[in-house]
């Protein structure tokens, strides 16, 4: 399902010396719109203050109406979907109006105002906030926006992404990143400015030639990226669109964790360890081998597996399960196949046709050693296996059964392989159980050994919400894999996050006499290169020399759990630990809310989320910004994440089934067609002219003659076309053609 399009729109109007304001916020799928010529971005300053991993980013932009009459001018900021928007204000003529945060329930009767023609580009894993303001001729307006996030550590790197998208040359453009950490910064790199697509291109890994780095101390750095107008033109003559990425890492002693306590008596623990060897693992790959994988996606997947399988250690084990019209597990000598209970005789006979040995019983032969010979055979199998339906329940059940089989097989070993399930899907279930809520419940019930399930949502049609709920309920997490030139690299990159487990059953146990409240503190697996953050509130009686808790974890080389005391930690100025606590707690509560079944009572959990969000001014799905106008009326704003535009392809007019009866005269310039009891002229030899901007399914485009935008999705059902229909003078049939359709 597509997300709702919601706006936060500011407009100012002047009438006999009085002014009124309205507000909107937006998250678009895709809109490639030429920059308006009636405004100029005079300055764009983005400043990120990173303190103890917590990043607060301030965006300030001064925009002028260069026209001779009042006009709308835009302000748009793209920010990571892991961040919370916390402040927004607009300033004009020395007066500033700030948005305030409210519970949605408290403002449900207020108006929600919507805007149009907002400039946007698609950015992965991001939200977009956009504003249009009606500004007097030759006047200026200043926008101020703040968002906050706790930086995550993956593959030994903290990454801070700053999106810069003014869509015009800006004479005063400056990005500043201030980093202040409690330990020595051992690695710091500013990547070359790059666009929003093909992010994993090798060219994007080069150092920035524009950024400067000031070394204030071993723990403190200042990065400034301020391209001149000429440098911006060299990157994009119409204005830069892309991101600056700052990467860094910190010095760590073996088994040492920095514990921080801020001025508010909140603490934050940051745990990471690099010195331990990787655990032996049993990786179970569950692959959605449905027909929708055919073509480029299938090639991209195979390219990824060409890297992933050889990346396994020789001591590892792996299993491959394909979810097609039946569930199929591979071994070098035999294939396991099993269909749904509803499978008819014809489908069963088809399933049993194979040149391989077949069985309907899982056995240890499907727990395959990751030897070079077996890896080569597995890659050959993946290239030759046929696509089919999408029996996801069967594939996931087979994976859990294999994990249980492995646990029983290696039960007596002191370093038995750690089971991990990696699930890649590009669509929805079509065979067997198709109710996704039922699939989540059944898999979770079957997964009695709590094997983590890590999901990859591949492409536009992958059901991300289903995969997210599945992984959250089974101790894992989910990533989006976007259709782009670097799709295979995305898959490899995310797999590497979980390729090297080093600890299991990690638990931070805090003494109730020392700690009042704490965020999530139990973690089933710790992977090399990551960091776990736990935060909470100390009780007043805690002193500097106190021990506030105990850290335990299972280490394969030690027969018993490893215990480590947790000291109070070093004192740091400010409130970064409290902000870390609030951020982690809110993310935890939102995750718990998402895990709940749709028909469950969510009121108590929602109230906790609302109260925490209001306390720290975090905009969430349950809280919205409100602007109070000078006349006392109020306007509400809410927004949803960006989503990649669907892969739309053009088709031949004669392939559209519901038009065939009208296409009998190839020499005609146009024919008459009837849709919903109305007659239209269908131009068969139209020109390249367009007939105004339009929006369809949250995509911006232009109205064109139907012949110029006959899409493949229209072929079988006229209902698929109707949302795209636009009218052209002379009763000609038009289609709203999204800008990204070639």
């Amino acid at each position: 399902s597509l997300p709702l399009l919601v706006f936060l729109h500011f407009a100012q109007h002047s009438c006999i010396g009085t002014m009124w304001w309205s507000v909107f916020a937006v998250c678009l799928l895709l809109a490639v719109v030429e920059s308006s010529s009636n405004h100029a971005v005079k300055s764009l300053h983005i400043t990120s203050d990173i303190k103890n991993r917590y990043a607060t980013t301030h965006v300030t932009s001064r925009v002028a109406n260069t026209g001779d009459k009042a006009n709308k001018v835009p302000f748009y900021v793209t920010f990571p979907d892991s961040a919370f928007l916390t402040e927004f204000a607009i300033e004009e003529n020395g007066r500033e109006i700030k948005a305030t945060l409210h519970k949605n329930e408290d403002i449900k009767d207020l108006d929600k105002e919507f805007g149009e023609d907002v400039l946007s580009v698609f950015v992965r894993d991001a939200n977009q906030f956009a504003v249009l303001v009606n500004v007097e001729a030759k006047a200026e307006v200043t926008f101020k926006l703040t968002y906050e996030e706790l930086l995550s550590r993956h593959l030994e790197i903290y990454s801070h992404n700053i999106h810069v998208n003014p869509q015009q040359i800006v004479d005063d453009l400056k990005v500043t990143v201030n980093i202040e950490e409690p330990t020595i910064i051992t690695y710091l790199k500013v990547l070359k400015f790059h666009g929003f697509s093909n992010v994993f291109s090798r060219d994007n890994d080069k150092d920035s030639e524009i950024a400067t780095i000031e070394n204030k101390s071993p723990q403190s750095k200042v990065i400034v990226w301020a391209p001149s107008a000429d440098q911006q033109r060299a990157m994009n003559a119409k204005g830069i669109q892309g991101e600056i990425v700052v990467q860094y890492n910190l010095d760590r002693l073996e088994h040492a964790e920095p514990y921080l306590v801020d001025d508010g008596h909140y603490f934050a623990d940051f745990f990471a360890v690099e010195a331990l060897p990787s655990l032996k693992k049993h990786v179970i790959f569950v692959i959605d081998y449905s027909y929708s994988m055919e073509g480029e996606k299938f090639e991209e997947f195979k390219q990824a597996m060409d890297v992933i399988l050889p990346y396994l250690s020789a001591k590892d084990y792996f299993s491959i399960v394909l979810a097609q019209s039946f569930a199929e597990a591979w071994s070098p000598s035999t294939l396991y196949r099993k269909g749904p209970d509803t499978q008819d005789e014809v489908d069963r006979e088809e399933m049993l046709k194979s040149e391989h040995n077949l069985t309907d019983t899982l056995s240890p032969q499907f727990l395959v050693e990751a030897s070079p010979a077996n890896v080569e055979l597995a890659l050959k199998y993946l290239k030759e296996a046929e696509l089919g339906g999408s029996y996801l329940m069967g594939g996931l059940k087979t994976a859990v059964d294999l994990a249980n089989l492995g646990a029983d097989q290696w039960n007596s070993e002191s370093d038995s392989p750690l089971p991990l399930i990696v699930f890649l899907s590009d669509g929805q279930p079509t065979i067997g159980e198709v109710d996704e809520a039922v699939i989540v419940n059944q898999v979770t019930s079957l997964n009695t050994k709590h094997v983590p399930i890590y999901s990859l949502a591949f492409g536009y049609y992958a059901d991300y919400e289903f995969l997210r709920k599945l992984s959250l309920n089974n101790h894992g997490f989910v990533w989006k894999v976007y259709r782009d030139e670097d799709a295979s690299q995305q898959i490899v990159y995310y797999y590497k996050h979980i390729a090297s487990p080093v600890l299991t059953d990690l638990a931070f146990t805090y003494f109730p006499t020392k700690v009042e409240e704490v965020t999530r503190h139990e973690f089933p697996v710790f992977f090399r290169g990551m960091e776990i953050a736990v935060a909470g509130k100390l009780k007043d009686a805690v002193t500097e020399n106190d021990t506030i808790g105990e850290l335990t974890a299972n280490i394969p080389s030690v027969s018993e759990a490893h215990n480590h005391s947790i000291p109070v930690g070093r004192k740091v100025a400010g409130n970064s630990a409290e902000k870390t606590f609030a951020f982690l707690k809110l993310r935890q509560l939102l995750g718990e809310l998402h895990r709940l079944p749709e028909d469950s009572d969510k009121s108590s959990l929602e109230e906790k989320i609302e109260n925490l969000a209001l306390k720290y001014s975090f905009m969430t799905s349950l809280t919205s910004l409100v602007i109070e106008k000078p006349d006392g009326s109020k306007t509400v704003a809410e927004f949803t994440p960006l989503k990649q535009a669907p892969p739309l392809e053009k088709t031949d007019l004669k392939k559209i089934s519901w038009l065939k009866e009208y296409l009998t005269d190839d020499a005609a310039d146009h024919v008459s067609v009837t849709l919903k009891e109305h007659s239209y002229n269908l131009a068969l030899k139209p020109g390249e002219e367009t007939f105004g901007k339009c929006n369809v399914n949250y995509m911006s485009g232009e109205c064109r003659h139907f012949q110029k935008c006959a899409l493949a999705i229209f072929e079988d059902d006229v209902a698929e076309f109707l949302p795209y229909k636009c009218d052209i003078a002379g009763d000609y049939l038009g289609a709203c053609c999204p800008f990204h359709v070639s």
Side-chain angles (χ1 to χ4, degrees):
S1 60
L2 295 173
L4 293 175
L5 185 64
V6 190
F7 301 82
L8 172 60
H9 171 211
F10 278 84
Q12 177 197 3
H13 298 263
S14 178
C15 181
I16 317 179
T18 63
M19 292 185 295
W20 59 271
W21 300 79
S22 62
V23 189
F24 77 84
V26 62
C27 279
L28 300 174
L29 292 180
L30 184 68
V32 181
V33 185
E34 289 296 324
S35 295
S36 171
S37 60
N38 64 1
H39 76 277
V41 180
K42 294 294 186 179
S43 67
L44 175 58
H45 290 181
I46 303 174
T47 302
S48 280
D49 297 315
I50 303 174
K51 187 170 184 179
N52 308 325
R53 289 84 155 169
Y54 196 86
T56 302
T57 302
H58 306 279
V59 182
T60 303
S61 182
R62 184 166 54 90
V63 186
N65 173 14
T66 58
D68 295 327
K69 60 181 180 179
N71 277 307
K72 291 180 180 179
V73 299
F75 168 71
Y76 30 87
V77 174
T78 306
F79 59 98
D81 60 7
S82 58
F84 290 113
L85 192 155
T86 57
E87 295 179 5
F88 179 71
I90 186 167
E91 181 180 324
E92 187 176 21
N93 297 327
R95 183 177 60 168
E96 182 177 84
I97 292 185
K98 292 184 177 181
T100 57
L101 202 68
H102 297 264
K103 296 180 183 180
N104 289 349
E105 180 65 23
D106 293 342
I107 54 176
K108 61 184 179 181
D109 295 329
L110 297 182
D111 292 336
K112 295 182 176 69
E113 300 191 13
F114 299 85
E116 59 184 351
D117 293 338
V118 179
L119 304 179
S120 176
V121 294
F122 173 69
V123 183
R124 298 175 183 177
D125 305 319
N127 296 332
Q128 181 154 303
F129 178 90
V131 170
L132 287 176
V133 176
N134 210 27
V135 178
E136 294 301 318
K138 308 300 182 181
E140 294 183 353
V141 62
T142 299
F143 303 98
K144 301 175 183 179
L145 180 138
T146 301
Y147 61 88
E148 302 177 13
E149 63 178 321
L150 181 67
L151 300 185
S152 299
R153 184 174 185 261
H154 299 292
L155 303 179
E156 303 182 3
I157 293 293
Y158 301 95
S159 289
H160 184 45
N161 294 44
I162 298 176
H163 305 125
V164 187
N165 182 30
Q167 297 191 8
Q168 63 177 254
I169 304 301
V170 181
D171 289 333
D172 184 9
L173 173 60
K174 184 178 181 181
V175 176
T176 305
V177 179
N178 303 302
I179 306 176
E180 183 180 339
E181 291 290 351
T183 56
I184 294 173
I185 299 171
T186 58
Y187 171 83
L188 177 61
K189 183 174 183 177
V190 183
L191 299 186
K192 173 185 175 183
F193 185 82
H194 58 262
F196 296 127
S197 62
N198 197 17
V199 172
F200 286 90
S201 165
R202 289 184 179 180
D203 188 56
N204 291 344
D205 197 42
K206 296 178 180 178
D207 289 349
S208 170
E209 297 177 352
I210 299 175
T212 62
I213 300 175
E214 178 187 353
N215 296 302
K216 298 184 68 175
S217 75
Q219 298 87 13
S220 180
K221 313 291 180 185
V222 177
I223 298 104
V224 175
W225 184 80
S228 66
D230 288 339
Q231 288 171 321
Q232 294 174 53
R233 289 188 186 94
M235 289 184 269
N236 188 331
K238 294 183 178 181
I240 57 176
Q241 296 183 11
E243 61 183 357
I244 285 290
V245 180
V246 176
Q247 299 179 335
Y248 70 97
N249 198 16
L250 302 175
D251 180 38
R252 296 177 183 277
L253 300 175
E254 291 187 9
H255 308 294
E257 307 81 40
Y259 306 102
L260 308 175
V261 179
D262 68 11
D263 291 338
H265 228 43
Y266 282 85
F267 71 90
D269 290 354
F270 299 98
F271 176 87
V273 59
E274 309 299 333
L276 296 174
S278 297
L279 301 180
K280 185 191 300 182
K281 60 185 180 292
H282 172 211
V283 185
I284 305 158
F285 298 96
V286 185
I287 315 299
D288 181 354
Y289 247 50
S290 56
Y291 292 119
S292 58
M293 282 283 287
E294 193 170 16
E296 287 184 5
K297 278 195 289 188
F298 193 46
E299 294 304 314
E300 291 157 351
F301 160 73
K302 289 187 292 185
Q303 290 172 16
M305 294 303 288
D306 283 343
V307 176
I308 289 172
L309 287 183
Y311 198 75
L312 292 167
S313 169
K315 67 181 181 180
D316 291 335
Y317 288 81
F318 71 99
S319 299
I320 294 177
V321 179
L322 304 186
Q324 40 183 295
S325 300
F326 42 83
E328 177 172 288
W330 172 85
S331 80
S333 60
T334 308
L335 295 180
Y336 162 89
R337 286 181 178 175
K338 188 162 187 177
D341 294 337
T342 56
Q343 186 181 52
D344 60 32
E345 192 60 32
V346 174
D347 289 338
R348 175 173 171 76
E349 290 179 1
E350 189 66 27
M351 180 183 74
L352 296 178
K353 293 179 181 178
S354 177
E355 60 186 31
H356 302 278
N357 295 325
L358 297 180
T359 180
D360 61 359
T361 303
L362 292 173
S363 63
Q365 67 178 315
F366 294 99
L367 315 175
V368 183
E369 293 183 8
S371 66
N374 285 339
V375 166
E376 185 176 350
L377 288 172
L379 291 173
K380 182 176 182 292
Y381 160 73
L382 288 173
K383 289 177 172 63
E384 296 176 350
E386 296 181 358
L387 303 176
S390 188
Y391 182 31
L392 298 187
M393 182 64 223
L396 289 166
K397 181 181 183 303
T398 302
V400 173
D401 290 342
L402 285 168
N404 293 335
L405 180 65
D408 294 338
Q409 176 76 9
W410 299 307
N411 183 51
S412 60
E413 298 184 16
S414 59
D415 63 339
S416 59
L418 174 71
L420 306 171
I421 295 175
V422 179
F423 177 37
L424 182 145
S425 175
D426 76 325
Q428 298 174 327
T430 61
I431 290 178
E433 181 58 68
V434 295
D435 187 319
E436 293 167 343
V438 174
I439 293 176
V440 170
N441 291 337
Q442 289 186 358
V443 172
T444 304
S445 297
L446 291 169
N447 190 11
T448 56
K449 298 188 184 300
H450 307 299
V451 179
I453 298 178
Y454 304 101
S455 298
L456 296 166
F458 191 9
Y460 175 81
Y461 293 108
D463 194 331
Y464 174 78
E465 292 304 317
F466 158 55
L467 298 178
R468 181 183 178 205
K469 193 179 290 286
L470 175 71
S471 290
L472 284 175
N473 278 279
N474 288 276
H475 319 286
F477 29 82
V478 61
W479 298 285
K480 294 177 184 177
V481 177
Y482 296 97
R483 292 296 312 281
D484 207 338
E485 294 177 20
D486 63 349
S488 62
Q489 293 162 288
Q490 293 177 58
I491 296 172
V492 172
Y493 173 73
Y494 292 130
Y495 171 75
K496 286 184 176 180
H497 282 53
I498 59 170
S500 299
V502 295
L503 294 173
T504 61
D505 301 322
L506 184 66
F508 297 77
T509 303
Y510 294 94
F511 306 141
T513 56
K514 306 292 184 182
V515 175
E516 292 182 10
E517 190 174 6
V518 68
T519 60
R520 179 190 175 191
H521 52 279
E522 294 182 349
F523 305 87
V525 188
F526 178 84
F527 298 98
R528 186 185 312 286
M530 71 181 295
E531 179 178 78
I532 286 176
V534 181
K537 178 73 181 293
L538 298 175
K539 291 192 173 181
D540 293 338
V542 175
T543 63
E544 292 183 3
N545 299 320
D546 275 354
T547 296
I548 61 172
E550 185 178 66
L551 169 66
T552 61
N554 285 330
I555 304 174
S557 57
V558 180
S559 58
E560 298 179 354
H562 175 70
N563 298 319
H564 184 72
S565 62
I566 302 175
V568 169
R570 74 177 70 182
K571 189 78 174 177
V572 295
N575 66 342
S576 63
E578 181 177 0
K579 282 298 188 78
T580 296
F581 166 79
F583 183 94
L584 291 173
K585 192 68 175 180
L586 192 53
R587 283 291 175 207
Q588 175 185 330
L589 293 174
L590 288 168
E592 292 174 7
L593 181 66
H594 191 83
R595 283 200 299 270
L596 290 177
E598 292 301 321
D599 57 353
S600 61
D601 182 6
K602 302 177 182 179
S603 57
S604 176
L605 188 53
E606 288 176 340
E607 184 177 4
K608 291 180 181 179
I609 292 170
E610 291 168 339
N611 291 338
L612 190 62
L614 290 175
K615 180 178 180 180
Y616 292 97
S617 189
F618 286 156
M619 191 173 181
T620 69
S621 57
L622 301 177
T623 52
S624 297
L625 287 172
V626 174
I627 286 290
E628 184 171 353
K629 305 172 189 177
D631 63 6
S633 62
K634 297 178 180 180
T635 302
V636 181
E638 24 180 45
F639 62 86
T640 55
L642 291 170
K643 188 173 181 179
Q644 193 172 24
L648 299 175
E649 297 179 356
K650 292 183 179 179
T651 189
D652 185 87
L653 201 62
K654 292 185 177 180
K655 291 184 178 180
I656 299 178
S657 59
W658 45 274
L659 286 180
K660 286 183 179 179
E661 63 178 293
Y662 304 106
L663 304 177
T664 57
D665 185 357
D666 292 337
D669 291 330
H670 66 269
V671 296
S672 179
V673 301
T674 300
L675 295 179
K676 288 195 166 184
E677 300 180 352
H678 185 86
S679 294
Y680 295 92
N681 291 315
L682 174 62
L684 301 180
K685 300 175 183 179
E688 297 296 332
E689 65 269 30
T690 61
F691 303 92
K693 296 176 183 176
C694 56
N695 292 282
V696 56
N697 293 341
Y698 318 119
M699 296 174 288
S700 292
E702 292 180 313
C703 184
R704 304 175 68 91
H705 278 291
F706 183 92
Q707 168 78 310
K708 291 296 182 179
C709 198
L711 302 178
I713 61 171
F714 301 162
E715 289 181 353
D716 298 323
D717 190 351
V718 67
E720 294 291 343
F721 160 68
L722 292 177
Y724 290 78
K725 187 177 79 67
C726 58
D727 297 332
I728 300 172
D731 269 342
Y732 278 94
L733 186 64
C736 183
C737 202
F739 285 113
H740 72 285
V741 176
S742 58

